[in-house]
Protein backbone atom coordinates (compact mmCIF):
# COMPACT_ATOMS: atom_id res chain seq x y z
CA UNK A 1 0.00 0.00 0.00
CA UNK A 2 1.22 3.54 -0.76
CA UNK A 3 0.03 6.17 1.71
CA UNK A 4 -1.59 9.35 0.44
CA UNK A 5 0.51 12.46 0.98
CA UNK A 6 3.39 10.44 2.44
CA UNK A 7 4.64 8.00 -0.21
CA UNK A 8 5.84 4.81 1.39
CA UNK A 9 5.11 1.12 1.29
CA UNK A 10 3.22 -0.32 4.25
CA UNK A 11 3.27 -4.13 3.94
CA UNK A 12 0.73 -6.08 5.96
CA UNK A 13 -0.46 -9.67 6.10
CA UNK A 14 -4.15 -10.60 5.64
CA UNK A 15 -4.58 -11.17 9.38
CA UNK A 16 -3.47 -7.57 10.02
CA UNK A 17 -6.14 -5.96 7.84
CA UNK A 18 -8.61 -5.41 10.66
CA UNK A 19 -7.42 -1.89 11.42
CA UNK A 20 -6.60 -0.85 7.86
CA UNK A 21 -8.46 2.11 6.37
CA UNK A 22 -8.20 1.61 2.61
CA UNK A 23 -9.02 5.26 1.89
CA UNK A 24 -5.73 6.29 3.51
CA UNK A 25 -3.80 4.79 0.61
CA UNK A 26 -3.37 5.87 -2.99
CA UNK A 27 -2.77 2.32 -4.25
CA UNK A 28 -3.47 -1.07 -2.71
CA UNK A 29 -1.49 -4.08 -3.98
CA UNK A 30 -2.54 -7.65 -3.20
CA UNK A 31 0.34 -10.03 -3.88
CA UNK A 32 -0.72 -13.67 -3.78
CA UNK A 33 -3.31 -13.08 -1.04
CA UNK A 34 -5.32 -16.26 -0.47
CA UNK A 35 -8.39 -14.55 0.98
CA UNK A 36 -9.47 -11.99 3.55
CA UNK A 37 -12.40 -11.45 5.85
CA UNK A 38 -15.56 -10.80 3.80
CA UNK A 39 -16.01 -7.44 5.54
CA UNK A 40 -12.55 -6.36 4.41
CA UNK A 41 -13.27 -7.57 0.87
CA UNK A 42 -16.46 -5.49 0.87
CA UNK A 43 -14.56 -2.47 2.20
CA UNK A 44 -11.90 -2.92 -0.49
CA UNK A 45 -14.58 -2.96 -3.17
CA UNK A 46 -16.10 0.24 -1.76
CA UNK A 47 -12.64 1.82 -1.73
CA UNK A 48 -12.10 1.14 -5.42
CA UNK A 49 -15.67 2.04 -6.33
CA UNK A 50 -15.15 5.39 -4.61
CA UNK A 51 -12.06 6.20 -6.70
CA UNK A 52 -9.31 3.99 -5.23
CA UNK A 53 -6.67 2.03 -7.13
CA UNK A 54 -6.07 -1.70 -6.77
CA UNK A 55 -3.38 -3.95 -8.26
CA UNK A 56 -3.63 -7.72 -7.80
CA UNK A 57 -1.04 -10.43 -8.42
CA UNK A 58 -2.31 -14.00 -8.25
CA UNK A 59 -0.39 -17.08 -7.13
CA UNK A 60 -0.49 -20.56 -5.60
CA UNK A 61 -2.09 -19.41 -2.33
CA UNK A 62 -5.06 -17.77 -4.01
CA UNK A 63 -8.47 -19.33 -3.42
CA UNK A 64 -10.29 -18.66 -6.70
CA UNK A 65 -13.69 -19.45 -5.19
CA UNK A 66 -13.20 -16.59 -2.70
CA UNK A 67 -12.22 -14.13 -5.44
CA UNK A 68 -15.10 -15.17 -7.66
CA UNK A 69 -17.58 -14.86 -4.81
CA UNK A 70 -16.46 -11.61 -3.20
CA UNK A 71 -14.92 -9.71 -6.11
CA UNK A 72 -17.54 -10.78 -8.67
CA UNK A 73 -20.58 -11.13 -6.46
CA UNK A 74 -21.98 -7.64 -7.03
CA UNK A 75 -21.74 -5.07 -9.80
CA UNK A 76 -19.67 -3.11 -10.52
CA UNK A 77 -17.21 -5.99 -10.41
CA UNK A 78 -13.69 -5.70 -9.07
CA UNK A 79 -12.81 -8.84 -11.03
CA UNK A 80 -14.23 -8.69 -14.57
CA UNK A 81 -13.55 -12.33 -15.46
CA UNK A 82 -13.98 -15.44 -13.32
CA UNK A 83 -10.83 -17.21 -12.16
CA UNK A 84 -10.49 -20.76 -13.43
CA UNK A 85 -7.74 -23.31 -12.97
CA UNK A 86 -3.96 -22.92 -12.94
CA UNK A 87 -2.34 -23.47 -16.31
CA UNK A 88 1.26 -23.93 -17.37
CA UNK A 89 4.21 -26.29 -17.51
CA UNK A 90 7.75 -25.39 -16.52
CA UNK A 91 9.02 -27.47 -19.44
CA UNK A 92 7.05 -25.31 -21.88
CA UNK A 93 6.93 -21.76 -20.52
CA UNK A 94 5.00 -18.97 -22.20
CA UNK A 95 5.87 -15.31 -22.65
CA UNK A 96 4.09 -11.98 -22.67
CA UNK A 97 2.89 -10.20 -25.77
CA UNK A 98 1.16 -6.86 -26.10
CA UNK A 99 -2.56 -7.19 -26.65
CA UNK A 100 -3.51 -3.50 -26.76
CA UNK A 101 -0.79 -1.22 -28.11
CA UNK A 102 -2.89 1.84 -27.24
CA UNK A 103 -3.13 0.92 -23.57
CA UNK A 104 -1.18 3.41 -21.39
CA UNK A 105 0.58 0.50 -19.68
CA UNK A 106 1.86 -1.09 -22.88
CA UNK A 107 2.76 2.11 -24.71
CA UNK A 108 6.10 2.47 -22.93
CA UNK A 109 7.22 -1.03 -23.88
CA UNK A 110 5.86 -0.83 -27.42
CA UNK A 111 7.72 2.41 -28.09
CA UNK A 112 10.94 0.95 -26.66
CA UNK A 113 10.70 -2.63 -27.92
CA UNK A 114 14.24 -2.40 -29.33
CA UNK A 115 15.76 -1.91 -25.87
CA UNK A 116 13.32 -3.67 -23.54
CA UNK A 117 12.87 -7.41 -23.05
CA UNK A 118 9.18 -7.72 -22.26
CA UNK A 119 8.07 -8.74 -25.74
CA UNK A 120 10.99 -11.07 -26.38
CA UNK A 121 10.64 -14.82 -25.82
CA UNK A 122 13.14 -14.82 -22.96
CA UNK A 123 11.07 -13.83 -19.90
CA UNK A 124 9.44 -17.12 -18.97
CA UNK A 125 6.06 -17.56 -17.31
CA UNK A 126 5.66 -21.14 -16.08
CA UNK A 127 2.25 -20.94 -14.41
CA UNK A 128 -0.69 -18.59 -14.43
CA UNK A 129 -4.41 -18.49 -13.70
CA UNK A 130 -6.77 -19.03 -16.56
CA UNK A 131 -9.72 -16.62 -16.62
CA UNK A 132 -13.04 -16.71 -18.41
CA UNK A 133 -13.02 -15.10 -21.89
CA UNK A 134 -12.80 -11.31 -21.98
CA UNK A 135 -14.47 -9.78 -25.00
CA UNK A 136 -12.67 -6.81 -26.60
CA UNK A 137 -15.88 -4.80 -26.43
CA UNK A 138 -16.57 -5.42 -22.73
CA UNK A 139 -17.25 -1.93 -21.28
CA UNK A 140 -14.50 -0.65 -18.99
CA UNK A 141 -12.21 -3.68 -19.40
CA UNK A 142 -8.90 -3.65 -21.26
CA UNK A 143 -6.45 -6.50 -21.76
CA UNK A 144 -2.96 -5.02 -21.88
CA UNK A 145 -0.92 -8.23 -22.22
CA UNK A 146 -1.68 -11.82 -23.20
CA UNK A 147 0.39 -14.97 -22.98
CA UNK A 148 1.74 -16.76 -26.02
CA UNK A 149 -0.19 -19.95 -25.25
CA UNK A 150 -2.54 -21.38 -27.87
CA UNK A 151 -5.54 -19.66 -26.25
CA UNK A 152 -3.81 -16.26 -26.01
CA UNK A 153 -4.87 -16.15 -22.36
CA UNK A 154 -5.16 -12.74 -20.66
CA UNK A 155 -2.05 -12.01 -18.60
CA UNK A 156 -2.58 -8.39 -17.50
CA UNK A 157 -5.96 -6.70 -17.65
CA UNK A 158 -7.75 -3.90 -15.83
CA UNK A 159 -11.29 -2.76 -15.38
CA UNK A 160 -13.29 0.18 -14.12
CA UNK A 161 -15.15 -0.31 -10.85
CA UNK A 162 -17.23 2.74 -10.10
CA UNK A 163 -14.85 5.72 -10.00
CA UNK A 164 -11.74 3.58 -9.45
CA UNK A 165 -9.84 0.90 -11.28
CA UNK A 166 -8.40 -2.56 -10.61
CA UNK A 167 -5.41 -4.05 -12.45
CA UNK A 168 -5.00 -7.83 -12.49
CA UNK A 169 -1.87 -9.91 -13.16
CA UNK A 170 -2.65 -13.61 -13.49
CA UNK A 171 0.81 -14.77 -12.35
CA UNK A 172 2.91 -14.04 -9.28
CA UNK A 173 4.75 -10.93 -8.09
CA UNK A 174 7.77 -13.07 -7.20
CA UNK A 175 9.73 -15.75 -9.03
CA UNK A 176 7.64 -18.70 -7.85
CA UNK A 177 5.64 -18.82 -11.09
CA UNK A 178 7.70 -16.71 -13.49
CA UNK A 179 11.07 -15.05 -14.12
CA UNK A 180 9.69 -11.55 -14.61
CA UNK A 181 10.98 -10.08 -11.30
CA UNK A 182 14.54 -11.00 -12.33
CA UNK A 183 14.43 -8.49 -15.18
CA UNK A 184 14.73 -4.67 -15.07
CA UNK A 185 11.50 -4.48 -17.07
CA UNK A 186 9.62 -5.61 -13.96
CA UNK A 187 10.50 -2.44 -12.06
CA UNK A 188 9.39 -0.35 -15.03
CA UNK A 189 6.20 -2.39 -15.24
CA UNK A 190 5.42 -1.63 -11.58
CA UNK A 191 6.10 2.08 -11.98
CA UNK A 192 4.02 2.31 -15.14
CA UNK A 193 1.18 0.31 -13.58
CA UNK A 194 1.03 2.37 -10.39
CA UNK A 195 1.29 5.62 -12.34
CA UNK A 196 -1.55 4.54 -14.62
CA UNK A 197 -3.79 3.59 -11.70
CA UNK A 198 -3.08 6.74 -9.70
CA UNK A 199 -3.68 9.02 -12.68
CA UNK A 200 -6.96 7.22 -13.33
CA UNK A 201 -7.99 7.75 -9.72
CA UNK A 202 -7.19 11.45 -9.92
CA UNK A 203 -9.99 11.85 -12.46
CA UNK A 204 -12.42 11.88 -9.54
CA UNK A 205 -12.39 14.44 -6.75
CA UNK A 206 -15.17 12.85 -4.74
CA UNK A 207 -14.51 12.44 -1.04
CA UNK A 208 -16.47 10.67 1.64
CA UNK A 209 -18.53 12.53 4.22
CA UNK A 210 -16.30 13.68 7.06
CA UNK A 211 -13.05 13.51 5.05
CA UNK A 212 -10.82 16.58 4.90
CA UNK A 213 -10.39 18.13 1.46
CA UNK A 214 -6.88 19.48 0.88
CA UNK A 215 -5.46 20.90 -2.35
CA UNK A 216 -2.44 23.14 -2.99
CA UNK A 217 -2.61 25.62 -5.88
CA UNK A 218 0.69 27.55 -6.34
CA UNK A 219 -0.15 31.21 -6.94
CA UNK A 220 2.67 31.50 -9.51
CA UNK A 221 0.76 29.13 -11.78
CA UNK A 222 -2.54 30.96 -11.47
CA UNK A 223 -3.71 34.49 -10.80
CA UNK A 224 -1.79 36.57 -8.23
CA UNK A 225 -4.99 37.06 -6.26
CA UNK A 226 -7.28 34.17 -5.39
CA UNK A 227 -10.92 34.65 -4.47
CA UNK A 228 -12.19 31.89 -2.20
CA UNK A 229 -15.91 31.52 -1.59
CA UNK A 230 -16.73 29.60 1.60
CA UNK A 231 -19.92 27.54 2.01
CA UNK A 232 -23.04 29.63 2.56
CA UNK A 233 -24.18 29.63 6.23
CA UNK A 234 -27.53 28.34 5.05
CA UNK A 235 -25.82 25.11 3.99
CA UNK A 236 -26.41 23.77 7.46
CA UNK A 237 -23.53 22.16 9.36
CA UNK A 238 -20.92 22.60 6.65
CA UNK A 239 -17.82 24.16 8.17
CA UNK A 240 -16.47 27.34 6.64
CA UNK A 241 -12.94 27.14 5.23
CA UNK A 242 -10.21 27.93 7.72
CA UNK A 243 -6.51 28.52 7.40
CA UNK A 244 -6.54 29.28 3.67
CA UNK A 245 -3.41 31.09 2.52
CA UNK A 246 -1.77 32.06 -0.74
CA UNK A 247 0.85 29.47 -1.79
Amino acid sequence: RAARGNPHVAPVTPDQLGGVQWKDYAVVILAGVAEMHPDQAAALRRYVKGGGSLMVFLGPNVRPEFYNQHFRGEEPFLLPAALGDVRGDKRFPVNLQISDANHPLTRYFDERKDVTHLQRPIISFNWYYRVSPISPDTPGVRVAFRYTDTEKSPAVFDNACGSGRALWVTSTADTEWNEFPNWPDFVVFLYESISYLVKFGMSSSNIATGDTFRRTYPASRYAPDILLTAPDPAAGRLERVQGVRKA
Side-chain angles (χ1 to χ4, degrees):
R1 302 168 296 153
R4 297 181 186 274
N6 182 24
H8 72 280
V9 176
V12 298
T13 57
D15 60 348
Q16 297 174 324
L17 292 177
V20 171
Q21 297 295 321
W22 300 113
K23 64 182 179 63
D24 293 339
Y25 298 90
V27 180
V28 173
I29 301 177
L30 303 183
V33 174
E35 59 183 329
M36 63 182 70
H37 192 280
D39 290 346
Q40 282 296 330
L44 180 59
R45 180 181 171 278
R46 290 194 298 270
Y47 157 79
V48 177
K49 184 180 178 182
S53 300
L54 173 67
M55 186 174 184
V56 183
F57 289 88
L58 302 179
N61 295 325
V62 164
R63 293 186 60 237
E65 59 272 18
F66 176 88
Y67 280 64
N68 291 335
Q69 177 182 352
H70 294 281
F71 295 152
R72 282 186 56 78
E74 182 181 348
E75 294 185 352
F77 297 144
L78 268 181
L79 176 61
L83 296 186
D85 57 348
V86 175
R87 294 292 180 91
D89 188 329
K90 193 172 184 178
R91 298 171 301 172
F92 307 104
V94 296
N95 312 107
L96 291 181
Q97 63 180 15
I98 289 178
S99 175
D100 181 356
N102 294 318
H103 194 293
L105 181 55
T106 63
R107 192 174 301 137
Y108 175 93
F109 297 98
D110 191 51
E111 293 175 350
R112 297 165 177 80
K113 54 189 173 185
D114 293 337
V115 295
T116 59
H117 305 86
L118 196 58
Q119 295 189 74
R120 304 180 190 181
I122 55 178
I123 302 180
S124 297
F125 284 75
N126 301 315
W127 296 283
Y128 54 92
Y129 260 97
R130 183 175 179 271
V131 299
S132 58
I134 300 176
S135 172
D137 56 358
T138 302
V141 182
R142 302 182 69 176
V143 180
F145 294 94
R146 294 183 182 272
Y147 294 116
T148 54
D149 62 328
T150 56
E151 299 179 358
K152 303 299 181 184
S153 302
V156 180
F157 55 91
D158 63 286
N159 67 294
C161 177
S163 299
R165 204 157 190 89
L167 178 71
W168 295 82
V169 183
T170 60
S171 194
T172 56
D174 58 20
T175 57
E176 188 166 359
W177 277 11
N178 62 77
E179 298 178 358
F180 196 14
N182 290 330
W183 294 81
D185 301 67
F186 182 70
V187 176
V188 178
F189 173 80
L190 290 178
Y191 274 109
E192 292 294 315
S193 298
I194 293 173
S195 176
Y196 166 62
L197 290 171
V198 170
K199 288 178 181 177
F200 187 94
M202 289 174 63
S203 64
S204 172
S205 296
N206 291 331
I207 57 176
T209 302
D211 286 355
T212 302
F213 180 82
R214 294 188 179 93
R215 290 293 186 274
T216 300
Y217 299 99
S220 60
R221 295 178 54 188
Y222 300 94
D225 296 317
I226 300 174
L227 175 64
L228 180 67
T229 302
D232 187 272
R237 297 181 60 185
L238 289 176
E239 296 181 1
R240 297 180 65 85
V241 177
Q242 300 177 0
V244 177
R245 63 182 184 278
K246 184 186 296 185

